[in-house]
Amino acid sequence: MGLIYDDPRLAALTLLRIAAEEAEGPTELTGGMQAVLDDLVQRNGGEYLAELAIALARTGFIALDELARITGNNTSDLLDAVEVDTLEGLDDGL
């Protein structure tokens, strides 16, 4: 039997948990996502990353959709705002 995160949906949640921990500041988990990804590729092959990307996108959409519902906003509008923020962040890196 494989690790629990061999299922792409559970791997996506594992990565989200690591991201949440790392967002709180530098910790011993810094680099944890890369270690999980390396292990997943070694165990399941590179094509597994496509399944993981799909699971992450779905998880992100579910969270955004729930936020929109709770706040009375439109999911598309929130997605647009995140996209604009991300694009503006790209400019900051130049």
Side-chain angles (χ1 to χ4, degrees):
M1 183 169 147
L3 296 175
I4 192 166
Y5 60 66
D6 282 344
D7 180 287
R9 296 164 299 175
L10 294 174
L13 293 173
T14 298
L15 292 175
L16 287 172
R17 287 190 182 281
I18 293 170
E21 292 278 339
E22 290 182 347
E24 294 175 5
T27 70
E28 67 278 357
L29 293 175
T30 299
M33 277 194 248
Q34 188 63 52
V36 169
L37 290 171
D38 289 345
D39 186 52
L40 286 169
V41 169
Q42 183 178 11
R43 293 170 58 80
N44 302 296
E47 65 280 353
Y48 178 85
L49 294 180
E51 293 177 49
L52 180 57
I54 291 166
L56 282 167
R58 287 180 176 155
T59 300
F61 175 78
I62 290 167
L64 192 63
D65 192 50
E66 182 70 10
L67 177 63
R69 187 185 63 75
I70 289 171
T71 60
N73 288 298
N74 180 289
T75 305
S76 294
D77 291 343
L78 289 179
L79 184 57
D80 290 346
V82 171
E83 185 175 10
V84 167
D85 188 58
T86 301
L87 289 169
E88 289 173 351
L90 294 177
D91 290 339
D92 294 341
L94 295 176

Short mmCIF file of all heavy atoms in Angstrom, two decimals, residues 7-74:
data_model
loop_
_atom_site.label_atom_id
_atom_site.label_comp_id
_atom_site.label_asym_id
_atom_site.label_seq_id
_atom_site.Cartn_x
_atom_site.Cartn_y
_atom_site.Cartn_z
N ASP A 7 -2.77 9.30 -3.46
CA ASP A 7 -4.01 9.75 -4.09
C ASP A 7 -3.85 11.24 -4.37
O ASP A 7 -3.54 12.01 -3.46
CB ASP A 7 -5.19 9.51 -3.14
CG ASP A 7 -6.50 9.95 -3.75
OD1 ASP A 7 -6.72 11.19 -3.86
OD2 ASP A 7 -7.31 9.09 -4.11
N PRO A 8 -4.04 11.69 -5.62
CA PRO A 8 -3.80 13.10 -5.95
C PRO A 8 -4.60 14.09 -5.10
O PRO A 8 -4.11 15.16 -4.78
CB PRO A 8 -4.22 13.21 -7.42
CG PRO A 8 -4.24 11.83 -7.94
CD PRO A 8 -4.45 10.92 -6.78
N ARG A 9 -5.82 13.73 -4.73
CA ARG A 9 -6.62 14.64 -3.91
C ARG A 9 -6.01 14.81 -2.53
O ARG A 9 -5.97 15.91 -1.98
CB ARG A 9 -8.05 14.14 -3.80
CG ARG A 9 -8.79 14.11 -5.16
CD ARG A 9 -10.02 13.28 -5.10
NE ARG A 9 -9.62 11.91 -4.75
CZ ARG A 9 -10.46 10.92 -4.51
NH1 ARG A 9 -11.74 11.12 -4.56
NH2 ARG A 9 -10.02 9.71 -4.21
N LEU A 10 -5.53 13.73 -1.96
CA LEU A 10 -4.90 13.80 -0.64
C LEU A 10 -3.52 14.46 -0.73
O LEU A 10 -3.12 15.18 0.19
CB LEU A 10 -4.80 12.41 -0.02
CG LEU A 10 -6.15 11.78 0.31
CD1 LEU A 10 -5.97 10.35 0.80
CD2 LEU A 10 -6.91 12.60 1.34
N ALA A 11 -2.82 14.24 -1.83
CA ALA A 11 -1.54 14.91 -2.03
C ALA A 11 -1.76 16.42 -2.13
O ALA A 11 -0.98 17.20 -1.57
CB ALA A 11 -0.85 14.39 -3.29
N ALA A 12 -2.83 16.84 -2.81
CA ALA A 12 -3.14 18.26 -2.91
C ALA A 12 -3.38 18.86 -1.53
O ALA A 12 -2.90 19.95 -1.22
CB ALA A 12 -4.36 18.48 -3.81
N LEU A 13 -4.10 18.14 -0.70
CA LEU A 13 -4.36 18.62 0.66
C LEU A 13 -3.07 18.66 1.49
O LEU A 13 -2.86 19.58 2.28
CB LEU A 13 -5.42 17.76 1.34
CG LEU A 13 -6.81 17.88 0.73
CD1 LEU A 13 -7.75 16.86 1.36
CD2 LEU A 13 -7.35 19.29 0.90
N THR A 14 -2.20 17.68 1.29
CA THR A 14 -0.91 17.68 1.97
C THR A 14 -0.12 18.93 1.59
O THR A 14 0.44 19.62 2.45
CB THR A 14 -0.10 16.42 1.61
OG1 THR A 14 -0.82 15.26 2.05
CG2 THR A 14 1.28 16.43 2.23
N LEU A 15 -0.09 19.25 0.30
CA LEU A 15 0.63 20.44 -0.15
C LEU A 15 -0.02 21.73 0.38
O LEU A 15 0.69 22.68 0.74
CB LEU A 15 0.70 20.47 -1.68
CG LEU A 15 1.57 19.38 -2.30
CD1 LEU A 15 1.47 19.43 -3.81
CD2 LEU A 15 3.02 19.48 -1.85
N LEU A 16 -1.34 21.76 0.45
CA LEU A 16 -2.02 22.93 1.02
C LEU A 16 -1.67 23.11 2.49
O LEU A 16 -1.46 24.24 2.95
CB LEU A 16 -3.53 22.81 0.83
CG LEU A 16 -4.04 23.03 -0.58
CD1 LEU A 16 -5.52 22.68 -0.66
CD2 LEU A 16 -3.80 24.44 -1.04
N ARG A 17 -1.58 22.02 3.22
CA ARG A 17 -1.19 22.10 4.63
C ARG A 17 0.23 22.61 4.78
O ARG A 17 0.53 23.43 5.65
CB ARG A 17 -1.35 20.75 5.32
CG ARG A 17 -2.78 20.38 5.56
CD ARG A 17 -2.89 19.15 6.46
NE ARG A 17 -4.26 18.77 6.64
CZ ARG A 17 -5.10 19.37 7.48
NH1 ARG A 17 -4.71 20.38 8.21
NH2 ARG A 17 -6.35 18.95 7.58
N ILE A 18 1.13 22.13 3.93
CA ILE A 18 2.51 22.61 3.97
C ILE A 18 2.55 24.09 3.63
O ILE A 18 3.25 24.87 4.29
CB ILE A 18 3.40 21.78 3.02
CG1 ILE A 18 3.53 20.35 3.52
CG2 ILE A 18 4.78 22.43 2.89
CD1 ILE A 18 4.19 19.39 2.54
N ALA A 19 1.79 24.50 2.63
CA ALA A 19 1.74 25.92 2.25
C ALA A 19 1.23 26.78 3.40
O ALA A 19 1.76 27.87 3.66
CB ALA A 19 0.86 26.12 1.02
N ALA A 20 0.22 26.29 4.11
CA ALA A 20 -0.31 27.03 5.25
C ALA A 20 0.75 27.17 6.34
O ALA A 20 0.91 28.25 6.93
CB ALA A 20 -1.55 26.32 5.81
N GLU A 21 1.48 26.11 6.60
CA GLU A 21 2.55 26.16 7.60
C GLU A 21 3.64 27.13 7.18
O GLU A 21 4.12 27.93 7.98
CB GLU A 21 3.16 24.77 7.81
CG GLU A 21 2.23 23.79 8.47
CD GLU A 21 2.19 23.94 9.98
OE1 GLU A 21 3.14 24.50 10.55
OE2 GLU A 21 1.19 23.49 10.57
N GLU A 22 4.04 27.05 5.92
CA GLU A 22 5.12 27.90 5.43
C GLU A 22 4.70 29.36 5.33
O GLU A 22 5.54 30.25 5.43
CB GLU A 22 5.65 27.38 4.09
CG GLU A 22 6.40 26.07 4.24
CD GLU A 22 6.97 25.53 2.95
OE1 GLU A 22 6.60 26.02 1.86
OE2 GLU A 22 7.80 24.61 3.02
N ALA A 23 3.40 29.61 5.17
CA ALA A 23 2.91 30.99 5.08
C ALA A 23 3.04 31.70 6.42
O ALA A 23 3.05 32.93 6.46
CB ALA A 23 1.45 31.00 4.61
N GLU A 24 3.14 30.94 7.49
CA GLU A 24 3.27 31.53 8.82
C GLU A 24 4.69 32.01 9.09
O GLU A 24 4.96 32.61 10.12
CB GLU A 24 2.83 30.52 9.88
CG GLU A 24 1.35 30.21 9.80
CD GLU A 24 0.94 29.12 10.78
OE1 GLU A 24 1.78 28.68 11.59
OE2 GLU A 24 -0.24 28.73 10.72
N GLY A 25 5.60 31.74 8.19
CA GLY A 25 6.97 32.17 8.34
C GLY A 25 7.92 31.00 8.19
O GLY A 25 7.50 29.85 8.11
N PRO A 26 9.20 31.31 8.13
CA PRO A 26 10.19 30.23 7.96
C PRO A 26 10.10 29.22 9.09
O PRO A 26 10.04 29.58 10.26
CB PRO A 26 11.52 30.97 8.01
CG PRO A 26 11.20 32.39 7.70
CD PRO A 26 9.80 32.62 8.20
N THR A 27 10.01 27.97 8.71
CA THR A 27 9.96 26.88 9.68
C THR A 27 10.79 25.73 9.16
O THR A 27 11.37 25.79 8.07
CB THR A 27 8.51 26.37 9.87
OG1 THR A 27 8.12 25.69 8.68
CG2 THR A 27 7.54 27.48 10.21
N GLU A 28 10.82 24.67 9.91
CA GLU A 28 11.51 23.48 9.47
C GLU A 28 10.84 22.83 8.26
O GLU A 28 11.38 21.97 7.63
CB GLU A 28 11.62 22.46 10.61
CG GLU A 28 10.30 21.86 11.05
CD GLU A 28 9.51 22.72 12.03
OE1 GLU A 28 10.00 23.78 12.44
OE2 GLU A 28 8.39 22.34 12.38
N LEU A 29 9.62 23.28 7.92
CA LEU A 29 8.91 22.73 6.77
C LEU A 29 9.30 23.39 5.46
O LEU A 29 8.87 22.96 4.40
CB LEU A 29 7.40 22.86 6.97
CG LEU A 29 6.81 22.03 8.10
CD1 LEU A 29 5.33 22.34 8.28
CD2 LEU A 29 7.01 20.56 7.83
N THR A 30 10.10 24.46 5.51
CA THR A 30 10.51 25.11 4.28
C THR A 30 11.20 24.08 3.39
O THR A 30 12.08 23.36 3.82
CB THR A 30 11.47 26.28 4.58
OG1 THR A 30 10.78 27.21 5.39
CG2 THR A 30 11.93 26.97 3.32
N GLY A 31 10.74 24.00 2.16
CA GLY A 31 11.23 22.97 1.25
C GLY A 31 10.43 21.69 1.34
O GLY A 31 10.70 20.74 0.59
N GLY A 32 9.47 21.65 2.22
CA GLY A 32 8.66 20.44 2.39
C GLY A 32 7.88 20.07 1.16
O GLY A 32 7.72 18.89 0.84
N MET A 33 7.39 21.07 0.44
CA MET A 33 6.61 20.77 -0.77
C MET A 33 7.49 20.09 -1.81
O MET A 33 7.06 19.13 -2.44
CB MET A 33 6.00 22.05 -1.34
CG MET A 33 4.73 22.44 -0.66
SD MET A 33 3.86 23.68 -1.59
CE MET A 33 4.03 25.04 -0.49
N GLN A 34 8.70 20.59 -1.98
CA GLN A 34 9.59 19.99 -2.97
C GLN A 34 9.90 18.54 -2.60
O GLN A 34 9.93 17.67 -3.47
CB GLN A 34 10.88 20.80 -3.09
CG GLN A 34 11.76 20.33 -4.24
CD GLN A 34 11.11 20.49 -5.59
OE1 GLN A 34 10.63 21.56 -5.95
NE2 GLN A 34 11.07 19.42 -6.37
N ALA A 35 10.10 18.27 -1.32
CA ALA A 35 10.37 16.91 -0.89
C ALA A 35 9.18 15.99 -1.18
O ALA A 35 9.36 14.85 -1.65
CB ALA A 35 10.72 16.89 0.60
N VAL A 36 7.97 16.48 -0.92
CA VAL A 36 6.77 15.68 -1.20
C VAL A 36 6.64 15.44 -2.70
O VAL A 36 6.38 14.32 -3.14
CB VAL A 36 5.50 16.37 -0.64
CG1 VAL A 36 4.23 15.71 -1.16
CG2 VAL A 36 5.51 16.35 0.88
N LEU A 37 6.85 16.48 -3.50
CA LEU A 37 6.75 16.34 -4.95
C LEU A 37 7.80 15.36 -5.48
O LEU A 37 7.50 14.51 -6.33
CB LEU A 37 6.88 17.69 -5.64
CG LEU A 37 5.70 18.63 -5.45
CD1 LEU A 37 6.03 20.01 -5.99
CD2 LEU A 37 4.45 18.08 -6.10
N ASP A 38 9.03 15.49 -4.99
CA ASP A 38 10.08 14.57 -5.42
C ASP A 38 9.71 13.13 -5.10
O ASP A 38 9.88 12.23 -5.93
CB ASP A 38 11.41 14.92 -4.75
CG ASP A 38 12.02 16.22 -5.27
OD1 ASP A 38 11.59 16.71 -6.33
OD2 ASP A 38 12.94 16.74 -4.59
N ASP A 39 9.18 12.91 -3.90
CA ASP A 39 8.78 11.57 -3.49
C ASP A 39 7.63 11.05 -4.36
O ASP A 39 7.64 9.89 -4.78
CB ASP A 39 8.38 11.56 -2.01
CG ASP A 39 8.09 10.16 -1.51
OD1 ASP A 39 8.94 9.26 -1.70
OD2 ASP A 39 7.00 9.95 -0.93
N LEU A 40 6.67 11.92 -4.64
CA LEU A 40 5.53 11.51 -5.46
C LEU A 40 5.97 11.11 -6.86
O LEU A 40 5.49 10.13 -7.42
CB LEU A 40 4.49 12.62 -5.53
CG LEU A 40 3.66 12.82 -4.26
CD1 LEU A 40 2.87 14.11 -4.34
CD2 LEU A 40 2.75 11.63 -4.02
N VAL A 41 6.88 11.89 -7.44
CA VAL A 41 7.37 11.57 -8.79
C VAL A 41 8.14 10.26 -8.76
O VAL A 41 7.98 9.40 -9.65
CB VAL A 41 8.24 12.71 -9.35
CG1 VAL A 41 8.97 12.29 -10.61
CG2 VAL A 41 7.38 13.93 -9.64
N GLN A 42 8.97 10.08 -7.75
CA GLN A 42 9.73 8.84 -7.65
C GLN A 42 8.80 7.63 -7.49
O GLN A 42 9.02 6.59 -8.10
CB GLN A 42 10.69 8.91 -6.46
CG GLN A 42 11.57 7.69 -6.33
CD GLN A 42 12.54 7.81 -5.16
OE1 GLN A 42 12.44 8.70 -4.33
NE2 GLN A 42 13.48 6.90 -5.10
N ARG A 43 7.75 7.79 -6.71
CA ARG A 43 6.85 6.67 -6.44
C ARG A 43 5.86 6.42 -7.58
O ARG A 43 5.48 5.28 -7.83
CB ARG A 43 6.06 6.94 -5.16
CG ARG A 43 6.90 6.96 -3.90
CD ARG A 43 6.10 7.47 -2.72
NE ARG A 43 4.93 6.67 -2.47
CZ ARG A 43 4.93 5.49 -1.83
NH1 ARG A 43 6.05 4.98 -1.41
NH2 ARG A 43 3.81 4.85 -1.63
N ASN A 44 5.41 7.49 -8.24
CA ASN A 44 4.30 7.38 -9.17
C ASN A 44 4.62 7.79 -10.60
O ASN A 44 3.76 7.70 -11.47
CB ASN A 44 3.11 8.21 -8.67
CG ASN A 44 2.67 7.78 -7.30
OD1 ASN A 44 2.23 6.66 -7.11
ND2 ASN A 44 2.82 8.66 -6.32
N GLY A 45 5.79 8.33 -10.85
CA GLY A 45 6.16 8.79 -12.19
C GLY A 45 5.77 10.24 -12.42
O GLY A 45 4.91 10.80 -11.73
N GLY A 46 6.40 10.85 -13.39
CA GLY A 46 6.19 12.27 -13.69
C GLY A 46 4.78 12.60 -14.13
O GLY A 46 4.29 13.70 -13.86
N GLU A 47 4.11 11.67 -14.79
CA GLU A 47 2.74 11.93 -15.25
C GLU A 47 1.78 12.15 -14.09
O GLU A 47 0.72 12.77 -14.24
CB GLU A 47 2.23 10.80 -16.15
CG GLU A 47 2.07 9.45 -15.48
CD GLU A 47 3.36 8.65 -15.32
OE1 GLU A 47 4.41 9.07 -15.84
OE2 GLU A 47 3.30 7.61 -14.65
N TYR A 48 2.16 11.69 -12.91
CA TYR A 48 1.33 11.88 -11.72
C TYR A 48 1.15 13.37 -11.41
O TYR A 48 0.12 13.77 -10.88
CB TYR A 48 1.98 11.17 -10.53
CG TYR A 48 1.24 11.34 -9.23
CD1 TYR A 48 0.19 10.52 -8.90
CD2 TYR A 48 1.60 12.35 -8.33
CE1 TYR A 48 -0.50 10.67 -7.72
CE2 TYR A 48 0.91 12.51 -7.15
CZ TYR A 48 -0.12 11.68 -6.84
OH TYR A 48 -0.80 11.84 -5.67
N LEU A 49 2.14 14.18 -11.77
CA LEU A 49 2.06 15.61 -11.47
C LEU A 49 0.89 16.27 -12.19
O LEU A 49 0.32 17.25 -11.67
CB LEU A 49 3.38 16.31 -11.80
CG LEU A 49 4.56 15.88 -10.93
CD1 LEU A 49 5.82 16.65 -11.34
CD2 LEU A 49 4.27 16.09 -9.45
N ALA A 50 0.51 15.77 -13.34
CA ALA A 50 -0.66 16.31 -14.05
C ALA A 50 -1.93 16.06 -13.22
O ALA A 50 -2.76 16.95 -13.08
CB ALA A 50 -0.79 15.69 -15.43
N GLU A 51 -2.04 14.86 -12.66
CA GLU A 51 -3.20 14.55 -11.82
C GLU A 51 -3.20 15.43 -10.58
O GLU A 51 -4.25 15.91 -10.14
CB GLU A 51 -3.17 13.09 -11.40
CG GLU A 51 -3.37 12.10 -12.52
CD GLU A 51 -3.25 10.67 -12.03
OE1 GLU A 51 -3.89 10.34 -11.02
OE2 GLU A 51 -2.52 9.89 -12.66
N LEU A 52 -2.02 15.67 -10.03
CA LEU A 52 -1.90 16.52 -8.85
C LEU A 52 -2.28 17.96 -9.18
O LEU A 52 -3.00 18.61 -8.41
CB LEU A 52 -0.48 16.45 -8.30
CG LEU A 52 -0.20 17.29 -7.06
CD1 LEU A 52 -1.15 16.95 -5.91
CD2 LEU A 52 1.25 17.12 -6.64
N ALA A 53 -1.85 18.46 -10.33
CA ALA A 53 -2.20 19.82 -10.74
C ALA A 53 -3.71 19.98 -10.88
O ALA A 53 -4.29 20.99 -10.47
CB ALA A 53 -1.50 20.18 -12.04
N ILE A 54 -4.36 18.97 -11.45
CA ILE A 54 -5.82 19.01 -11.60
C ILE A 54 -6.48 19.01 -10.22
O ILE A 54 -7.41 19.79 -9.97
CB ILE A 54 -6.30 17.82 -12.46
CG1 ILE A 54 -5.84 18.02 -13.91
CG2 ILE A 54 -7.81 17.66 -12.38
CD1 ILE A 54 -5.95 16.77 -14.77
N ALA A 55 -6.00 18.16 -9.32
CA ALA A 55 -6.57 18.11 -7.97
C ALA A 55 -6.39 19.43 -7.24
O ALA A 55 -7.29 19.91 -6.55
CB ALA A 55 -5.94 16.96 -7.18
N LEU A 56 -5.21 20.06 -7.40
CA LEU A 56 -4.97 21.36 -6.76
C LEU A 56 -5.89 22.44 -7.34
O LEU A 56 -6.43 23.26 -6.59
CB LEU A 56 -3.51 21.78 -6.92
CG LEU A 56 -2.53 21.11 -5.99
CD1 LEU A 56 -1.09 21.36 -6.44
CD2 LEU A 56 -2.73 21.60 -4.56
N ALA A 57 -6.06 22.43 -8.65
CA ALA A 57 -6.95 23.42 -9.27
C ALA A 57 -8.38 23.24 -8.77
O ALA A 57 -9.07 24.22 -8.45
CB ALA A 57 -6.89 23.30 -10.79
N ARG A 58 -8.83 22.02 -8.68
CA ARG A 58 -10.19 21.76 -8.19
C ARG A 58 -10.34 22.17 -6.73
O ARG A 58 -11.35 22.76 -6.35
CB ARG A 58 -10.54 20.29 -8.37
CG ARG A 58 -10.78 19.93 -9.82
CD ARG A 58 -11.13 18.47 -9.99
NE ARG A 58 -11.46 18.20 -11.39
CZ ARG A 58 -11.35 17.02 -11.95
NH1 ARG A 58 -10.94 15.98 -11.24
NH2 ARG A 58 -11.66 16.86 -13.22
N THR A 59 -9.33 21.87 -5.93
CA THR A 59 -9.37 22.24 -4.52
C THR A 59 -9.41 23.76 -4.37
O THR A 59 -10.18 24.29 -3.57
CB THR A 59 -8.14 21.66 -3.77
OG1 THR A 59 -8.18 20.24 -3.89
CG2 THR A 59 -8.13 22.05 -2.31
N GLY A 60 -8.59 24.44 -5.15
CA GLY A 60 -8.59 25.91 -5.11
C GLY A 60 -9.92 26.48 -5.54
O GLY A 60 -10.43 27.44 -4.93
N PHE A 61 -10.52 25.91 -6.58
CA PHE A 61 -11.82 26.40 -7.03
C PHE A 61 -12.88 26.18 -5.97
O PHE A 61 -13.71 27.07 -5.72
CB PHE A 61 -12.25 25.74 -8.34
CG PHE A 61 -13.63 26.16 -8.73
CD1 PHE A 61 -13.85 27.40 -9.30
CD2 PHE A 61 -14.72 25.36 -8.47
CE1 PHE A 61 -15.13 27.83 -9.62
CE2 PHE A 61 -16.00 25.77 -8.78
CZ PHE A 61 -16.21 27.01 -9.36
N ILE A 62 -12.89 25.01 -5.35
CA ILE A 62 -13.88 24.73 -4.30
C ILE A 62 -13.76 25.75 -3.18
O ILE A 62 -14.77 26.28 -2.70
CB ILE A 62 -13.73 23.29 -3.79
CG1 ILE A 62 -14.18 22.31 -4.87
CG2 ILE A 62 -14.50 23.08 -2.49
CD1 ILE A 62 -13.79 20.86 -4.59
N ALA A 63 -12.53 26.05 -2.77
CA ALA A 63 -12.32 27.03 -1.69
C ALA A 63 -12.79 28.42 -2.12
O ALA A 63 -13.46 29.13 -1.36
CB ALA A 63 -10.85 27.06 -1.29
N LEU A 64 -12.45 28.81 -3.35
CA LEU A 64 -12.86 30.12 -3.85
C LEU A 64 -14.38 30.21 -3.99
O LEU A 64 -14.99 31.23 -3.64
CB LEU A 64 -12.18 30.38 -5.19
CG LEU A 64 -12.24 31.79 -5.74
CD1 LEU A 64 -11.52 32.76 -4.81
CD2 LEU A 64 -11.64 31.84 -7.13
N ASP A 65 -14.99 29.15 -4.48
CA ASP A 65 -16.43 29.12 -4.64
C ASP A 65 -17.14 29.21 -3.29
O ASP A 65 -18.14 29.93 -3.14
CB ASP A 65 -16.84 27.84 -5.38
CG ASP A 65 -18.28 27.86 -5.85
OD1 ASP A 65 -18.69 28.85 -6.49
OD2 ASP A 65 -18.99 26.88 -5.59
N GLU A 66 -16.61 28.52 -2.29
CA GLU A 66 -17.18 28.58 -0.95
C GLU A 66 -17.03 29.98 -0.36
O GLU A 66 -17.96 30.52 0.25
CB GLU A 66 -16.51 27.55 -0.04
CG GLU A 66 -17.06 27.49 1.35
CD GLU A 66 -18.47 26.92 1.44
OE1 GLU A 66 -18.98 26.38 0.44
OE2 GLU A 66 -19.08 27.04 2.52
N LEU A 67 -15.87 30.60 -0.57
CA LEU A 67 -15.66 31.97 -0.10
C LEU A 67 -16.65 32.92 -0.77
O LEU A 67 -17.24 33.79 -0.11
CB LEU A 67 -14.23 32.41 -0.40
CG LEU A 67 -13.88 33.85 -0.04
CD1 LEU A 67 -13.99 34.08 1.47
CD2 LEU A 67 -12.48 34.19 -0.53
N ALA A 68 -16.85 32.75 -2.06
CA ALA A 68 -17.81 33.59 -2.78
C ALA A 68 -19.22 33.41 -2.21
O ALA A 68 -19.93 34.39 -1.98
CB ALA A 68 -17.80 33.25 -4.27
N ARG A 69 -19.59 32.18 -1.96
CA ARG A 69 -20.92 31.91 -1.43
C ARG A 69 -21.10 32.56 -0.06
O ARG A 69 -22.11 33.22 0.20
CB ARG A 69 -21.16 30.40 -1.34
CG ARG A 69 -22.59 30.02 -0.97
CD ARG A 69 -22.75 28.53 -0.77
NE ARG A 69 -21.95 28.01 0.33
CZ ARG A 69 -22.25 28.18 1.63
NH1 ARG A 69 -23.31 28.86 1.97
NH2 ARG A 69 -21.48 27.66 2.56
N ILE A 70 -20.13 32.38 0.80
CA ILE A 70 -20.23 32.91 2.16
C ILE A 70 -20.24 34.43 2.19
O ILE A 70 -20.95 35.04 2.99
CB ILE A 70 -19.08 32.35 3.03
CG1 ILE A 70 -19.31 30.86 3.29
CG2 ILE A 70 -18.93 33.11 4.34
CD1 ILE A 70 -18.13 30.16 3.94
N THR A 71 -19.45 35.04 1.31
CA THR A 71 -19.35 36.51 1.31
C THR A 71 -20.36 37.19 0.40
O THR A 71 -20.41 38.42 0.36
CB THR A 71 -17.93 36.94 0.90
OG1 THR A 71 -17.66 36.46 -0.43
CG2 THR A 71 -16.89 36.44 1.87
N GLY A 72 -21.13 36.40 -0.33
CA GLY A 72 -22.11 36.98 -1.23
C GLY A 72 -21.51 37.55 -2.50
O GLY A 72 -22.12 38.37 -3.18
N ASN A 73 -20.31 37.12 -2.84
CA ASN A 73 -19.63 37.57 -4.05
C ASN A 73 -19.84 36.56 -5.18
O ASN A 73 -20.33 35.46 -4.96
CB ASN A 73 -18.14 37.76 -3.80
CG ASN A 73 -17.86 38.97 -2.94
OD1 ASN A 73 -18.16 40.08 -3.32
ND2 ASN A 73 -17.30 38.73 -1.76
N ASN A 74 -19.41 36.95 -6.35
CA ASN A 74 -19.47 36.09 -7.51
C ASN A 74 -18.12 35.37 -7.63
O ASN A 74 -17.07 36.01 -7.55
CB ASN A 74 -19.74 36.95 -8.75
CG ASN A 74 -19.81 36.15 -10.01
OD1 ASN A 74 -18.80 35.65 -10.48
ND2 ASN A 74 -21.01 36.05 -10.56
#
